[in-house]
């Protein structure tokens, strides 16, 4: 299959880009599109066959459910039940935006592979003009995980999607770089108090300011993870990635040690280390691109410098820990 990239641009027959995407989605195929967090790999959430093509293209385990994207709170309410006043308050405060709510699904709407046979569904209204226009024109709920090969960093550019999905999907809508750069916060509204299953740009403090106490389960090590995605390998570059405390002396010593063994080293950090073989930036919106850039080098080892003590970075730290599989350089 040939994979086409269509740049969505007001000046270049924008209408035709959406028509192509809607036609393909309605015919049961998969289309990648930008959201404000990362690019998504979308299919009609009511069509089992279409959704199975997402799992196939990503190589995603079938027991990891997908997020459903809709164009508004009103549309979302047609698909979910037992919506608490706290859930309604979250929708009003954060949608459109980077907050996914886990709610009881209305039965017999979503294909069973969207929810991995759970009674609940993750749902959000994305805050991106291309995603919103597509959803309004499509008038169907769109199941969409991040548009990367399972286990790889999520795509923040159309070219990342092309790298992973070339010849596997027919169309990528190119809306430029995604603004936030990491996936949405996932908040389970079926527990009381609600539980953050995945931290994101929308912080615990912001949520608590709206609905009061919520719990955090990012450190959850229970055997039956509430968010099935928590148990899988994530965001991993090809070369081994290690975390290191953000301390100049410590990092320089590490670089010397690795190079002393005849190996090449890439550093992902807010600061540049001229002695390193490669340097890439570290921030929420650059992390995944930096991890992907490491894959284009011949680095034997990657260091990411982190401030383990600071709490305000919990979403970024969560992704780094997963990407490094919790390994620290020592
Ligand atoms: O920002 C995002 O959320 C992006 C963009 C494309 O919207 N999407 C995304 O989807 O990150 P994905 O599939 O890569 O991550 C979905 C996460 C997984 O960790 C999954 O286990 C969890 O949400 N999830 C989905 N449905 C769930 C449910 N019913 N109960 C618990 N966790 C659920
Ligand atoms: Mg993902």
């Amino acid at each position: 299959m040939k994979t086409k990239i269509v740049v969505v641009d007001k000046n270049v027959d924008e209408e035709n880009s959406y028509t192509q995407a809607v036609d393909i989605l309605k015919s049961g195929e998969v289309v990648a599109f930008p959201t404000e967090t990362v690019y998504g790999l979308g299919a009609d959430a009511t069509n089992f066959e279409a959704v199975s093509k997402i799992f196939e293209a990503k190589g995603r385990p079938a027991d990891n459910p997908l997020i459903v994207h809709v164009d508004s709170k009103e549309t979302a309410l047609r698909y979910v039940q037992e919506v608490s006043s706290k859930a309604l308050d979250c929708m009003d405060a954060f949608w459109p935006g980077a907050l996914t709510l886990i709610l009881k699904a209305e039965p017999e709407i979503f294909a069973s592979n969207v929810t991995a046979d759970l009674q609940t569904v993750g749902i959000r209204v994305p805050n991106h003009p291309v995603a919103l226009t597509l959803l309004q024109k499509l008038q169907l709920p769109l199941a969409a995980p991040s548009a990367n090969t399972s286990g790889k960093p999520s795509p923040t550019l159309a070219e990342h999607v092309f790298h992973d999905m070339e010849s596997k999907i027919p169309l990528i809508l190119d809306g430029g770089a995604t603004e936030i750069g990491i996936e949405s916060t996932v908040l389970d509204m079926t527990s009381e108090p609600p539980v953050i299953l995945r931290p994101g740009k929308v912080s615990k403090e912001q949520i608590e300011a709206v609905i009061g106490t919520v719990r955090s389960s990012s450190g959850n090590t229970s055997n039956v993870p509430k968010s099935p995605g928590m148990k899988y390998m994530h965001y991993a570059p090809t070369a081994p990635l290690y975390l290191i405390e953000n301390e100049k002396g410590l990092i320089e010593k590490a670089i010397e040690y690795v190079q002393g063994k005849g190996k090449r080293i890439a550093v992902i950090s807010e600061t540049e280390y001229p002695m390193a073989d490669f340097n890439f930036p570290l921030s929420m919106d650059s992390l995944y691109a930096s991890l992907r850039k490491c894959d284009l080098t011949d680095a034997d080892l990657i260091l990411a410098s982190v401030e383990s003590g600071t709490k305000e970075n919990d979403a970024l730290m969560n992704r780094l820990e997963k990407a490094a599989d919790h390994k620290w350089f020592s």
Side-chain angles (χ1 to χ4, degrees):
M1 178 185 308
K2 192 165 162 34
T3 302
K4 192 164 151 187
I5 303 186
V6 169
V7 178
V8 183
D9 185 330
K10 281 187 197 58
N11 306 315
V12 199
D13 203 2
E14 189 187 30
E15 205 54 42
N16 180 43
S17 314
Y18 290 115
T19 307
Q20 286 184 58
V22 167
D23 288 349
I24 293 173
L25 287 166
K26 285 197 168 156
S27 76
E29 295 294 327
V30 169
V31 172
F33 64 97
T35 81
E36 80 280 36
T37 57
V38 299
Y39 275 76
L41 197 58
D44 173 0
T46 67
N47 180 336
F48 185 95
E49 284 297 311
V51 171
S52 65
K53 290 174 188 166
I54 295 178
F55 285 89
E56 210 173 298
K58 279 183 67 82
R60 181 173 173 114
D63 65 348
N64 194 3
L66 309 178
I67 292 173
V68 172
H69 299 69
V70 292
D71 64 0
S72 65
K73 172 189 172 190
E74 290 64 39
T75 307
L77 292 175
R78 304 204 325 249
Y79 301 139
V80 291
Q81 328 176 311
E82 297 171 22
V83 182
S84 64
S85 59
K86 285 183 183 179
L88 291 171
D89 289 345
C90 282
M91 293 175 187
D92 289 330
F94 300 108
W95 283 0
L99 179 68
T100 295
L101 299 175
I102 307 294
L103 292 161
K104 185 128 190 279
E106 190 71 51
E108 281 163 44
I109 289 183
F110 299 118
S112 60
N113 48 357
V114 171
T115 57
D117 289 318
L118 297 171
Q119 311 263 296
T120 54
V121 65
I123 195 161
R124 81 178 187 101
V125 179
N127 188 18
H128 190 288
V130 174
L132 281 174
T133 308
L134 178 65
L135 287 164
Q136 282 154 8
K137 291 183 184 291
L138 181 66
Q139 287 298 305
L140 283 169
L142 201 54
S146 48
N148 51 288
T149 299
S150 204
K152 285 285 155 196
S154 298
T156 57
L157 290 170
E159 71 193 61
H160 296 160
V161 181
F162 188 77
H163 179 272
D164 286 13
M165 295 298 150
E166 188 192 356
S167 82
K168 295 181 176 160
I169 64 170
L171 181 67
I172 300 168
L173 291 182
D174 183 350
T178 62
E179 202 180 304
I180 293 176
I182 66 167
E183 307 82 352
S184 61
T185 306
V186 177
L187 180 63
D188 181 5
M189 300 305 300
T190 68
S191 314
E192 185 47 44
V195 182
I196 295 177
L197 297 177
R198 180 175 73 184
K201 174 85 173 173
V202 176
S203 68
K204 185 169 191 250
E205 291 67 34
Q206 285 173 299
I207 296 168
E208 289 188 326
V210 176
I211 59 167
T213 307
V214 296
R215 282 196 297 125
S216 212
S217 82
S218 47
N220 187 342
T221 51
S222 82
N223 290 328
V224 189
K226 188 82 207 260
S227 181
M230 293 196 296
K231 66 174 184 276
Y232 294 107
M233 183 76 175
H234 269 306
Y235 323 120
T238 307
L241 169 67
Y242 293 86
L243 305 181
I244 187 164
E245 206 58 55
N246 186 20
E247 243 178 73
K248 192 164 183 273
L250 200 63
I251 294 173
E252 286 178 348
K253 255 176 71 185
I255 296 170
E256 257 169 26
Y257 176 80
V258 173
Q259 290 176 333
K261 302 220 154 210
K263 303 203 155 162
R264 291 164 74 75
I265 184 163
V267 178
I268 301 178
S269 169
E270 288 170 22
T271 334
E272 280 219 10
Y273 289 86
M275 60 196 285
D277 298 282
F278 308 98
N279 278 275
F280 299 110
L282 177 61
S283 60
M284 196 181 276
D285 62 346
S286 66
L287 173 66
Y288 290 152
S290 288
L291 291 172
R292 282 178 179 268
K293 282 178 194 154
C294 286
D295 280 353
L296 302 177
T297 71
D298 60 355
D300 301 295
L301 186 145
I302 309 163
L303 286 182
S305 76
V306 299
E307 313 258 358
S308 61
T310 51
K311 201 63 217 104
E312 69 245 36
N313 260 343
D314 66 335
L316 185 59
M317 193 62 196
N318 167 273
R319 303 312 192 272
L320 279 163
E321 281 180 331
K322 287 187 173 178
D325 200 16
H326 304 273
K327 301 188 300 295
W328 286 80
F329 188 85
S330 60

